[in-house]
Amino acid sequence: MLAILLGLLIFLLLLLLLPFDVVFRLNSDGVPGVRVGITWGYGLVRKDFIKTEQKPVSKSEVTRQLQRESRKGIGKFQRKGTKSAWIFVRSPGMPGRLVRFARDMLRQIRVREMKLHLDLGLDDPADTGRLYGILSPMLILLQQVPRVDMRLQPDFTQAVFMVTGRGHIRVIPLAVLRVMLGFLLSPTCWRAFYATIKGAGT
């Protein structure tokens, strides 16, 4: 029985060592659509996902939809989620730990091409500023990666989320899993989770 379990574990580790290639194209302006192609094991398995809207959608229509959802209560959810994220990020030691996590994760990703442009705004301009402050350090790190062009334009006047881009990346699942477990099991992360749960209840 032990030999069978050991064999299954080795087989699973070998599977996790095979790379995933992800090719994507995004567009939420004009004629919105998402195209994603995933290849595993150097082409052993391939799956394509394509979702395209039938008619063009203007930026103003997307903005009006976001505002309608905000009036239904999503704006309140955004504020609560932003508050929780802010508590998590500002926990002692967490800003530096997040930077190290992003750096370690980027080292596991082989970027063939990455172009991503975002227009982002929440219902509350203060929440927009906080979210932009949270994302800025990670964007600075991403800009240092070869073949990466990532830009974030904050919009303080309206609730909006528009994204266009394309990319081709390769990852080794086992390497990504190792980095994620190292982050989630770190004492800094546990203290931040505890502070977030405690702060969200107040």
Side-chain angles (χ1 to χ4, degrees), residues 78-106:
Q78 287 177 336
R79 289 191 291 272
K80 184 176 180 181
T82 304
K83 177 185 176 182
S84 298
W86 193 244
I87 295 173
F88 183 85
V89 171
R90 288 178 62 87
S91 298
M94 181 50 67
R97 189 66 184 85
L98 280 173
V99 171
R100 291 197 303 274
F101 170 71
R103 184 184 299 117
D104 293 341
M105 188 63 75
L106 287 174

Side-chain angles (χ1 to χ4, degrees), residues 15-144:
L15 291 180
L16 291 175
L17 282 171
L18 294 176
F20 270 100
D21 283 284
V22 181
V23 179
F24 68 88
R25 184 179 294 272
L26 312 170
N27 184 25
S28 59
D29 198 3
V31 181
V34 179
R35 301 173 63 93
V36 180
I38 299 177
T39 304
W40 175 73
Y42 300 103
L44 291 176
V45 178
R46 179 178 178 83
K47 180 67 176 178
D48 294 320
F49 302 91
I50 302 174
K51 182 179 180 181
T52 304
E53 297 293 339
Q54 295 298 321
K55 59 180 182 179
V57 179
S58 67
K59 181 179 291 188
S60 60
E61 290 174 343
V62 174
T63 300
R64 286 196 297 270
Q65 178 65 25
L66 284 171
Q67 291 172 340
R68 286 195 296 268
E69 292 173 348
S70 179
R71 288 193 292 268
K72 293 177 183 178
I74 290 181
K76 180 179 179 181
F77 174 79
Q78 287 177 336
R79 289 191 291 272
K80 184 176 180 181
T82 304
K83 177 185 176 182
S84 298
W86 193 244
I87 295 173
F88 183 85
V89 171
R90 288 178 62 87
S91 298
M94 181 50 67
R97 189 66 184 85
L98 280 173
V99 171
R100 291 197 303 274
F101 170 71
R103 184 184 299 117
D104 293 341
M105 188 63 75
L106 287 174
R107 288 172 179 166
Q108 313 309 320
I109 300 175
R110 301 293 178 264
V111 179
R112 307 292 181 86
E113 180 188 22
M114 178 72 70
K115 292 185 178 180
L116 203 59
H117 298 172
L118 300 97
D119 292 298
L120 178 63
L122 301 179
D123 193 56
D124 187 339
D127 290 340
T128 301
R130 294 191 186 98
L131 182 58
Y132 182 71
I134 292 171
L135 296 177
S136 291
M138 297 183 184
L139 290 173
I140 293 173
L141 283 174
L142 287 172
Q143 290 290 0
Q144 299 175 5

